[in-house]
Every structure is written in C-alpha cells, then in structure tokens.
Amino acid sequence: VKRQDFRTCAQTSFCRRNRAYADKAASSPYNVIEDTIKIEDGVISGELINSENKIYFIFEIHLLINNVVRIRVNEKSPLKPRYDRVKDWSLIQEPIITLEYTENTVKDGFTSISFGIDRNHKVIIHHAPFRVELLDNDLPVITFNDRGFFNIEHLRKKDDPVNSQPDNLVIQSDDSADLISEEIQENIKEKQEDGSWEETFNGKKDSKPNGPESIGLDISFPGFGHVYGIPEHATSFSLKETRGGQGAYDEPYRLYNLDVFEYELDNPMALYGSIPFMMAHRKGATVAVLWLNSAETWIDVVKSKEDKSGIIDVFAFLGPTTSDIFKQYGSLTGFTALPQSFAIGYHQCRWNYLNQLDVAEVDAGFDKHDIPYDVIWLDIEHTDNKKYFTWDKTKFTDPEKMQRDIGRKGRKMVTIVDPHFKKDDNYYVYKEAKDLDILTKDNNDQVYDGWCWPGNSVWTDWTNPKAQDWWAKKFAFDQYKESTEFLFIWNDMNEPSVFTGPEITMHKDVIHYEGWEHRNIHNLFGMAFHAATAQGLINRTIPHRRPFVLSRAFFVGSQRFGAIWTGDNSVSWDHLAISSPMLLTIGISGLPFSGADVGGFFGNPDPELLVRWYQTGAFQPFFRAHAHIDTKRREPWLFGEPHTSYIRDAIRQRYILLPFWYTLFQEASTDGMPIIRPMFVIFPNEEETFSMEDQYFVGNSLLVKPITSQGQTSTEIYFSRNEVFYDYYTFKKVKGSGKVKVIAPINKIPVFLRGGSIIPRRQRFRRSSLSMRSDPFTLLVALDKKGEATGSLYLDDGETYEYQKGHFIHRKFNFTSRKLLSTSFIDGQIIDKENNYIKSNQDLRVERIIIVGIDRAPKKIIGYYNDLTDDKKELEFSSGGTNYIGINIEEISKDVVIIRDPKLFISKDWTIEFVN
C-alpha cells in the first residue's frame, strides 16, 4: 500500500474539527425545546436548539417492533435538503412502529417512555442538554450524547460572514452588532481556509460548494467491555481503542470505500467496504447500533464519536441476545440472498487464464487429479481492450462453446464486469450510457472522466433509476453476446476505483442523480452497481434463476445481492491469520457470504502456506483461490506430492460438508445468523471468548482453529467447560477444557464436533456439486453430556426461486432417549402441498448414520417410518472401526456406532431406536 495516497484524520478537515470539538466539549449546546415534545403513534418528536448559534433542529425517536429504536435528527429549516436517500437503498421496507408502549413521564428535565411487549425497555430523553438513554430492565445499555460530542454543522452560505465557519468554531458576537471587528473578520478568513469550503489533497481539489456539513455524535455502551463490527478493516475482531490506552491506534477507524491493494494489517485505515454497524457484548446482554449514512465516516472507539454528512439516522438494536440482534438487523436491511448451490463450492481464479485452451487444460487438470471444483473465473484480460461485455477473439475464439464444455460437467464460469467504461464512441456500452445521459458529471456539469483499466474511462451513475434499468438489461443473452446460462459475474473496482482521482477514488464533488454530491453517496455506490448486476442475472432467464455476483465494495444491504471478498491481500502468514477476524466482523455485520483470496493475491506462496490457506478457506463461507497476473501459476496440483493430496483433501472436506453449508445459508437467509460465528456468539457468558478471533464455529456445530504460523504442528484450542467436544476425524472425545493443546499435522486443520450436534454430509467424491445432487446422505450425530443432539437439513433445486413457493425439503433431526427422529421442519415456512421438489427427489436416502459419544452399545437397532410403526426393521450396525472422509483412514473411537444403509428416505418421517 502507498500510505501517502490515503488521508489521515489530520488531513481531513471535518475529522480534525470534530476531534477538536470532542477534546474541548464540556457541556453540549443542544437542548430540547420542551413545549415542542409530542408522543403520538409510537413516535416521540420535538425540536432542539443549538444555544450557541440559535439554529433549530427536529428530532424523532421511533419505537419499532422487535426491540428496535430509531433516532433521526435534521435541520428544521435547512438552506437545501440534506441527503436522506440511504434508507431507499439499504432498508427493505419502512420500519414498523410498535404500539406497545406506555408514557411514563413528561416533565421538566426529561421524558420517559416504556415499550416492548413486557414494557421492559425504556427510552429516556434528557432535555438540557439533549441526551437519549436506552434501558433494558432499568439498566442503561446505549446512551447518545452522553459526553456532549453531538454536533451538526448546519448548512450555510459562504458569503454570510458570521456563519461561514463551522459550528464548532463559531465566533461569538453581539446579536445586535452591525459590524464585525477586524479580529473576527481575520478569524473568519482563517476558518474559511481550513478546509471548510475547499480542500486539496495530493494536488486534487474538493470544491465543497455546500461548505461544512458534518455530523458528530458519541455513543456509549455502559458496562460493556467489548465492541465489534464497523467493517472493513484489517484489524482485531474486538475493536481497539483509538485515543489513549495501551495498544491504542493513533487514528480513528475510517469507513470510506477505497481501492487499497496489498493493505497493511493491524491498521484502522479504510478498505473496500463499509458497514456502519457496531455491536457491544457482555454477560447477559448484546446490543448494537446502525448508522444509516453512506458518507465518509471516522470512528473513535474510546469516545465512540462518528463524523459524516447527511442527517442523523441511527437504529439501536436492544437484543438482548446475539441471535436477536442478527434478526432485528436483517428484518430492516434484508437477510442474505440464498445463493445457487454451486456458489458455495470451490472457485478457481487468477488474473488471468490466458486463452480458451488454457481454460480447458485447467478444467481437465482438476479431473485428472480428482479434485472437485465448481467455477472457473476470467479476469479483465479476457475482454477486447478492457471493454466489458466483449471477448478478445484472438484468445477466446468460441466463448459459448467454452462455457458449455464446462457446463456439461456441472461447472460454471465467471467473468469480470467493472463499473467504468472505456471512453470510446465506437464502444456501444459507452455510447448508450452517454446517449441516455446516465453518466456521472463533474462539478462543472461535464461528464466526469478519469483513468482506470481501459485508460480514459467514465462511470455510470448507479443511483439513477434509469441507469439501474438499463444496466439490468445488458445481461440478457442477446445483449451480452456469447454469454450463456453457465456464465456469472464479478463486480470489481466498484468503490469506485479511479486511478487519477483523490485517494484512488472519485472526487467528492462529482454530481449524481438529482444533484446529490458524491460525498453523500460514496459508500453505497458499489452496492448500487452490485444490485443492478444481480437484477440483470435474475431477469435474463424465465423462470428466474438466482444470481451469483461477487462484489469488492459493500455497504448496508449488500447481503441481498451476493457475495463479497476482502480484496487484494498478500502472500503471508499474517494475511492468512487476519482473514478470520475480518470475515467474522463482516459476518456479524449482516453480510455472511464472504471470503478471502486463498493463497494470497500478491506474491508466491510456498507449499506449506498454500496448504494451510486451502485448509482455512475450506471452512470460510466463500471459497476461492485467486492470484495476481505477475505471480507464478499455483493450481492445486502444481506443487507435487504430498502437497497436492493435502490440498485435494481440504477441498474434498468442503464438498463432503456442502449439505451442512447449504443448510446454514438457508438459515442465514431467514434469520440473519452468520455462517461462521465468533466464540462469544456460541458461549455468550464465557468472558474468555469475548475477544477470541483465531478460532470460530461453522454454524453451532463445528469448532475450527486455522493454523496460521509457519512450521506449526500443534496449537492451543479453547473448549468450553460446560460442553463435550469430539475430534472431527477420529471422533475421540476431547480430554480437558479451557485451553487444550492439540496436534495439528500439515495434512489437516483442527476441527471438532460440538456435542449435541447432528451434521448432514455427502461422502461420495464427485467432480462438482451438481454431480452430487442425487447422492445419499450420512448423518453425523455427536451426543452431548445428556446423550442428546439436534440438527437439520435443507434442500431445494439449488437454482431457482421455487423454494419461495414451498418446493423444498427441510428436515429436523433429534436424538433423545436413545431414539433418532427425523421430522419435517415447518417452523413458519410456506409448504406447498404439491411439493414438486419432494416428488422429484423421493429416492434421496440416508446411507449411513454415525453416532458419536454413545454411552453403551445397543443390543440391536430398529428403524421404521412413523406412519408404518408395524413395519419395524432391524438395522445393521458396528462399533468403532475406521473413518475415511478424504483425509486419511483414521482409527475411530470405540464409543461410536455406525448404522449402514438403514434404507430410510430423507424426505419422510422416521425413527431409529436403540434397544438395550
């Protein structure tokens, strides 16, 4: 990274101003005008006045369903509207106000309201100064403006001599004065030159026609010791302090989507995506806040101050559990889109596969070496002179045949389509966009241009509805020439990346739809592009099929449109290690479908690092290897034995567990649960887990500890004292609890089964996920201390939206009282009585059941369908033995019972009984 290309807080005028304001804040000048307070239909509203400059503001506090509170503040009479369109992009509907509230107190000094079904939540509005407390069972959990940092720079005219400087640098003068002293005039001039009305960085000017317009606010989480979220940063999972304190950063965390290649680690600088969501956790409580603002944001963690432009629009989520938070957030911003099933398999990518023959040889290499994969990717070199929607016909002579050749094997292809267009009147995409007048404009109302991969380039204004409609149509098969149903899309460079722009991005005074400046919408620009691309893939087929679109930039709501990845990482053990906390942070911030480039994008990994990276990537949601054009080729078989086998085993592990992964994606799409989960989510009352970032759970069932140091063959893993765990490979019970040393040889990643889990697997090795669709299932049952376990399996066609009509299989498994039951999982789901998916998959069966942790071997085992209890059959089983799941043939624990071919269909209700 070229650090000098990117601003610090000290080089950003509004960050400097608000930090200075926080440092000298004594008492907030914002006060409630008491006779304006109204409480009506779940909304508390009123007016504020800044006692220093006599500017009026309107506030609203909305009490929402599901224990959520929304706070909005805006100027009462602004010179012009402030940007308030973020909700149109990030929220799936207007939030629903609850009528379950009780007015407790409205009197001098404060207003109090209890709300929620049990009235156990409370909002207290302190009038002078303005401060808002949110309480859970009479304990404060979130406080706004507790430290007096709340600050809105009101809109003003540049030629107004008193109001030309920022509010927090206001010059006091007699209201009746007709003249301004020379000293004051000089002070005004100085403040006008501090970046309030014009700012230059690295020779690139920001004209700032609206002057100072930032927002500052402090948010306190009383009694909470850990906060998480605000991705994307290459930092620790539990956020560090930024002002004082041991190990504190000297810069605030920054949210401003930027193209930062080969980024630094342990640094709060901005990266490719921004989600202004922060979660706080302690024993017995989890709360969170979402700032619905797409402008540049700086966040000091000690003082929890946030700076941006636009209006204040903040949601407070009161939990009280992490699962409640995830559902509350998803109910507002949307849950993750259920992807096509191929998307959660393994993806092979590099910049760039050379030509059509190269693609065919790589595809054949996977078959030759018995390594499954689902998708091969083409980067920018596949195009005609970097013009998207085109092919370089000297290299790719028959793109349609190329796609169909891999499609016949159940595989797919992804091509890159970036948001910039080559400025060339002979390029039809550029010409169409220009003729439609949907290109972004500079501050002189001319088409904005800059430099990117094609050379001189332009950018479409993705916030324009006309641009969204036009772009979606470009993916029709008759528009994207020689594309097929096997082709999917990669949106890169959509921060947006502008090589000649300030901080390698678009100028802040660029003009968008309806005259809004880029500074207001910057962080949602990439998501708007992502959304239009996803819609294009949906529209191109009838019946509609689910899209797959990978995006580098992201914002609140991106989860509705597809996957993201952590950008241009480097070949190093440290970058491998940081991938876990980065993905955990992104996952708890509402975007679970994410991954990091396996192997590292920049550089050449040695065999050990590459093996360990594959092992880690196989247990992360998005699993793709990718490499820079200048790196050596690194397809999985190129490092020779034993490394080829180690990588093959890691990829096979992913495919064996695809039914489990797909079930987790379905869960994320309905209740917002992250797919990989931090330790504190699973053990919310065990303080040892609150800052853990080097081990995590896949779902609630698999505990994973990536190996991230060279030469490491053992590691320490934390096991909860209240639970039982089993080695995933040998099924042997873990001895001890707390930190336990485990062996971690190069051929496998430490993975452990959590007692109480039932995991569905498919154990036949195929070339792609599509080839596995008719394969039978193995159920892995790991008993807890009570001898019980639960789990589920979700299946649908993996392509279309028929599941929304009830065409799917969703089974719930429960082992209790030495019985294993399979029943329909119908919790709140629409089930079509004429379930076409069940009809066409009636022959899907269970071929093996493995019960781990059984206290005593049964004398016999019987199985039967629940509607045919008279037709009970004795089943074959064995105790102990061997286990082969693509790693090694392992001797397994004697406390294991394996039932072979129980002759039970997966879609039916059945019971297996252990008879002593």
Side-chain angles (χ1 to χ4, degrees), residues 9 84 191 205 232 246 302 388 390 523 681 685 721 844 875 910:
C9 178
D84 189 23
K191 301 314 176 188
K205 187 173 75 172
E232 183 183 23
Q246 187 174 2
V302 170
Y388 306 110
T390 69
N523 285 342
V681 169
N685 294 317
R721 294 170 178 83
L844 285 177
L875 306 179
W910 46 258

Side-chain angles (χ1 to χ4, degrees), residues 870-888:
D870 294 334
D871 186 20
K872 297 184 178 181
K873 298 177 182 178
E874 189 168 340
L875 306 179
E876 293 184 8
F877 70 94
S878 63
S879 298
T882 59
N883 179 38
Y884 178 61
I885 52 171
I887 296 291
N888 286 309

Side-chain angles (χ1 to χ4, degrees), residues 159 209 217 269 302 439 476 602 616 658 661 683 706 714 721 730 753 777 781 795 811 813 816 839 844 851 910:
D159 57 1
L217 181 67
M269 69 186 297
V302 170
L439 298 173
F602 287 101
T616 301
L658 281 182
W661 282 99
F683 306 119
S714 66
R721 294 170 178 83
T730 67
L753 289 163
F777 293 90
V781 182
L795 300 166
R811 307 302 299 175
F813 306 113
T816 185
K839 284 182 177 180
L844 285 177
I851 298 95
W910 46 258

Side-chain angles (χ1 to χ4, degrees), residues 373-605:
Y373 91 101
D374 265 78
V375 191
I376 191 165
W377 293 53
L378 295 179
D379 211 318
I380 55 177
E381 309 303 330
H382 83 277
T383 63
D384 175 15
N385 202 24
K386 311 298 188 301
K387 291 180 287 190
Y388 306 110
F389 299 105
T390 69
W391 303 87
D392 184 339
K393 298 308 288 282
T394 63
K395 299 175 182 176
F396 299 92
T397 56
D398 193 343
E400 190 169 346
K401 179 180 183 300
M402 174 177 63
Q403 295 162 57
R404 296 197 182 282
D405 285 347
I406 64 169
R408 278 192 289 270
K409 298 179 180 180
R411 293 167 177 160
K412 309 290 191 270
M413 175 171 280
V414 167
T415 54
I416 195 166
V417 178
D418 289 347
H420 51 262
F421 308 142
K422 185 178 180 65
K423 192 174 182 180
D424 180 349
D425 283 322
N426 295 318
Y427 177 31
Y428 74 100
V429 177
Y430 164 70
K431 190 172 186 308
E432 287 180 16
K434 185 176 69 170
D435 291 346
L436 286 169
D437 193 25
I438 54 175
L439 298 173
T440 55
K441 305 289 181 63
D442 64 22
N443 61 349
N444 293 315
D445 201 35
Q446 301 300 306
V447 170
Y448 175 79
D449 62 10
W451 210 257
C452 208
W453 295 125
N456 199 21
S457 303
V458 296
W459 282 260
T460 296
D461 178 8
W462 305 111
T463 66
N464 187 328
K466 188 164 62 172
Q468 290 271 318
D469 293 342
W470 167 77
W471 186 248
K473 294 173 183 175
K474 302 313 295 177
F475 294 92
F477 296 126
D478 63 347
Q479 291 286 305
Y480 190 171
K481 301 296 185 182
E482 298 184 274
S483 66
T484 70
E485 67 272 22
F486 304 110
L487 188 68
F488 295 84
I489 301 299
W490 172 15
N491 286 163
D492 198 2
M493 312 297 285
N494 55 331
E495 293 76 27
S497 180
V498 183
F499 295 161
T500 51
E503 300 192 272
I504 326 297
T505 193
M506 192 170 280
H507 291 70
K508 290 181 179 178
D509 54 7
V510 162
I511 304 301
H512 290 272
Y513 179 62
E514 295 186 331
W516 295 109
E517 288 187 285
H518 185 74
R519 77 182 75 252
N520 299 123
I521 63 94
H522 175 85
N523 285 342
L524 67 76
F525 180 93
M527 182 182 75
F529 177 54
H530 193 190
T533 304
Q535 193 61 50
L537 294 192
I538 293 170
N539 294 350
R540 70 180 182 174
T541 55
I542 299 294
H544 294 326
R545 286 182 168 82
R546 294 172 239 169
F548 174 77
V549 184
L550 180 73
S551 172
R552 191 169 69 179
F554 55 87
F555 185 62
V556 179
S558 287
Q559 68 273 11
R560 305 196 303 270
F561 310 116
I564 64 97
W565 90 108
T566 60
D568 297 343
N569 57 2
S570 296
V571 171
S572 74
W573 289 95
D574 288 341
H575 269 265
L576 168 58
I578 203 68
S579 68
S580 293
M582 289 182 74
L583 296 179
L584 289 171
T585 297
I586 293 167
I588 67 164
S589 302
L591 216 175
F593 198 4
S594 60
D597 284 344
V598 170
F601 181 65
F602 287 101
N604 297 297

Side-chain angles (χ1 to χ4, degrees), residues 213-475:
E213 54 177 325
S214 74
I215 298 168
L217 181 67
D218 64 275
I219 304 172
S220 299
F221 300 101
F224 291 83
H226 293 270
V227 289
Y228 315 88
I230 58 169
E232 183 183 23
H233 302 98
T235 58
S236 59
F237 177 56
S238 179
L239 298 175
K240 294 184 179 181
E241 293 181 320
T242 60
R243 306 202 74 179
Q246 187 174 2
Y249 294 129
D250 57 7
E251 281 285 303
Y253 288 89
R254 188 186 187 196
L255 294 179
Y256 193 62
N257 294 358
L258 293 171
D259 181 359
V260 186
F261 58 87
E262 212 165 356
Y263 45 84
E264 296 176 1
L265 306 184
D266 197 25
N267 190 316
M269 69 186 297
L271 293 179
Y272 308 94
S274 300
I275 301 179
F277 171 89
M278 182 179 286
M279 176 185 289
H281 176 75
R282 60 171 166 80
K283 281 186 178 181
T286 308
V287 295
V289 294
L290 167 67
W291 273 91
L292 203 58
N293 196 298
S294 54
E296 177 183 12
T297 302
W298 297 81
I299 303 157
D300 270 321
V301 170
V302 170
K303 296 182 178 179
S304 297
K305 171 174 62 65
E306 305 209 8
D307 305 327
K308 54 182 75 69
S309 61
I311 70 164
I312 287 181
D313 193 355
V314 60
F315 291 86
F317 307 97
L318 301 182
T321 68
T322 53
S323 59
D324 292 328
I325 297 287
F326 300 137
K327 196 157 192 173
Q328 291 160 0
Y329 179 87
S331 296
L332 284 172
T333 67
F335 298 114
T336 193
L338 184 62
Q340 288 206 35
S341 55
F342 78 82
I344 61 175
Y346 171 63
H347 299 244
Q348 181 66 36
C349 183
R350 73 172 281 111
W351 175 22
N352 202 88
Y353 285 115
L354 303 176
N355 50 44
Q356 195 160 332
L357 177 61
D358 194 13
V359 169
E361 289 176 345
V362 170
D363 178 68
F366 279 90
D367 294 335
K368 178 181 178 181
H369 294 91
D370 293 322
I371 301 173
Y373 91 101
D374 265 78
V375 191
I376 191 165
W377 293 53
L378 295 179
D379 211 318
I380 55 177
E381 309 303 330
H382 83 277
T383 63
D384 175 15
N385 202 24
K386 311 298 188 301
K387 291 180 287 190
Y388 306 110
F389 299 105
T390 69
W391 303 87
D392 184 339
K393 298 308 288 282
T394 63
K395 299 175 182 176
F396 299 92
T397 56
D398 193 343
E400 190 169 346
K401 179 180 183 300
M402 174 177 63
Q403 295 162 57
R404 296 197 182 282
D405 285 347
I406 64 169
R408 278 192 289 270
K409 298 179 180 180
R411 293 167 177 160
K412 309 290 191 270
M413 175 171 280
V414 167
T415 54
I416 195 166
V417 178
D418 289 347
H420 51 262
F421 308 142
K422 185 178 180 65
K423 192 174 182 180
D424 180 349
D425 283 322
N426 295 318
Y427 177 31
Y428 74 100
V429 177
Y430 164 70
K431 190 172 186 308
E432 287 180 16
K434 185 176 69 170
D435 291 346
L436 286 169
D437 193 25
I438 54 175
L439 298 173
T440 55
K441 305 289 181 63
D442 64 22
N443 61 349
N444 293 315
D445 201 35
Q446 301 300 306
V447 170
Y448 175 79
D449 62 10
W451 210 257
C452 208
W453 295 125
N456 199 21
S457 303
V458 296
W459 282 260
T460 296
D461 178 8
W462 305 111
T463 66
N464 187 328
K466 188 164 62 172
Q468 290 271 318
D469 293 342
W470 167 77
W471 186 248
K473 294 173 183 175
K474 302 313 295 177
F475 294 92

Side-chain angles (χ1 to χ4, degrees), residues 10 26 31 42 271 338 374 454 463 513 530-531 544 611 694 704 785 799 803 823 864 904:
N31 299 312
L271 293 179
L338 184 62
D374 265 78
T463 66
Y513 179 62
H530 193 190
H544 294 326
V611 167
D694 59 351
V704 178
K785 290 180 178 180
E799 293 182 2
Y803 72 91
T823 55
Y864 52 89
L904 296 170

